[in-house]
Amino acid sequence: MPMNIAIDGPVGAGKSSIADQVAQRLHILHLDTGAMYRTVALYMLRNGIDPQDEQTVSAHCGEADVRVAYRDGAQRTMLGGEDVSDLIRTGEVSAAASAISKWPAVRRRMVAAQREIAATADMLIDGRDIGTVVLPDATVKIFLTATPEARATRRWKEYQAKGIDTPYEEVLADVKQRDYQDTHRAAAPLKQADDAVLLDTSELDFEQSLAAMKKIIAEKVNKTIK
Ligand code: DC
């Protein structure tokens, strides 16, 4: 059985960036499952389907040919053979992904696809429902979180560095709204698995968060990580 490390947590907790570093140091692949939901969302937007319309989204989600590939160890997310990795990072797609991820028909497909991918190799998988639904028997489960204020501050700094001038209050409101949506949906809401280790990075910088995560994994798999 491949080793699976499940990392769940709210938006902006640093899942992707910290997970990416840990996966590199363990020499295993990193599956960003949010990218898969984003790709289904892009498909709906391109086809003029309202992401809030459960019936139509459910009827058409099987048409979205979502696959992941790895180039130089980095995930590329494909829609019908087209590399959409960069196109799925817009605000419009984020909002649509949040909407379509509520629908059980979408989740069923994503969960099945993610299980298939996770069975192929040792892998670190990040998302919202990995330890609870996708891989309840994962080797290691971590719930990575931080206060909404800490997460909004990080995101605001990223925006500033990119020259995007969004007020902090707006970023914080967006983080809180996405938290609300992720934790209150009926299908697979975001929650910590009973057997997940909680890692709160509110008071930690990136290097400290990385060290803390490496320590949790090393203890579980009995292996030191450089
Ligand atoms: O992690 P992210 O922001 O890229 O995720 C995009 C959306 O997909 C987000 O609204 C939460 C949802 N998602 C989910 O419901 N389950 C997952 N395993 C991963 C993401």
Side-chain angles (χ1 to χ4, degrees):
M1 265 246 306
M3 174 180 72
N4 288 152
I5 300 173
I7 301 184
D8 291 302
V11 63
K15 290 191 302 294
S16 297
S17 48
I18 300 171
D20 225 42
Q21 282 292 318
V22 173
Q24 277 184 32
R25 288 170 203 213
L26 282 167
H27 305 288
I28 62 175
L29 298 177
H30 168 207
L31 176 64
D32 166 5
T33 61
M36 298 172 71
Y37 286 92
R38 286 170 180 271
T39 303
V40 174
L42 178 67
Y43 177 86
M44 298 301 159
L45 292 173
R46 280 183 170 175
N47 286 281
I49 296 168
D50 175 3
Q52 300 290 353
D53 176 352
E54 177 177 7
Q55 254 197 335
T56 314
V57 168
S58 304
H60 291 274
C61 65
E63 296 162 6
D65 177 22
V66 179
R67 291 171 202 233
V68 300
Y70 289 89
R71 199 184 301 147
D72 299 328
Q75 175 175 332
R76 306 304 299 178
T77 313
M78 320 290 291
L79 175 58
E82 176 191 356
D83 185 341
V84 295
S85 310
D86 300 322
L87 296 175
I88 56 175
R89 298 291 157 195
T90 65
E92 190 190 13
V93 174
S94 298
S98 180
I100 59 103
S101 64
K102 292 195 296 253
W103 310 132
V106 173
R107 301 206 71 84
R108 273 197 296 278
R109 287 186 178 274
M110 294 292 103
V111 168
Q114 290 157 14
R115 284 183 182 148
E116 259 181 49
I117 298 167
T120 60
D122 287 350
M123 207 168 268
L124 187 151
I125 303 115
D126 88 62
R128 304 289 192 285
D129 60 342
I130 310 304
T132 50
V133 176
V134 180
L135 301 167
D137 297 325
T139 323
V140 185
K141 296 183 188 178
I142 298 175
F143 194 79
L144 185 69
T145 192
T147 61
E149 289 74 17
R151 290 181 282 125
T153 302
R154 286 178 202 156
R155 177 123 318 171
W156 180 78
K157 284 184 182 162
E158 280 168 21
Y159 285 160
Q160 292 284 309
K162 285 187 196 159
I164 305 168
D165 201 15
T166 312
Y168 169 77
E169 291 308 326
E170 208 173 289
V171 180
L172 179 61
D174 184 54
V175 163
K176 286 185 174 169
Q177 196 211 343
R178 290 239 259 148
D179 281 357
Y180 185 86
Q181 283 174 355
D182 283 349
T183 53
H184 284 78
R185 66 175 176 230
L190 171 68
K191 67 171 195 291
Q192 182 180 347
D194 293 337
D195 52 353
V197 178
L198 177 69
L199 175 52
D200 185 328
T201 65
S202 304
E203 306 289 331
L204 307 180
D205 65 18
F206 182 79
E207 288 301 325
Q208 292 167 327
S209 307
L210 183 59
M213 188 179 287
K214 285 195 299 190
K215 185 160 176 272
I216 294 168
I217 296 170
E219 278 170 11
K220 289 269 177 193
V221 300
N222 252 329
K223 197 164 132 181
T224 45
I225 308 168
K226 288 200 188 106

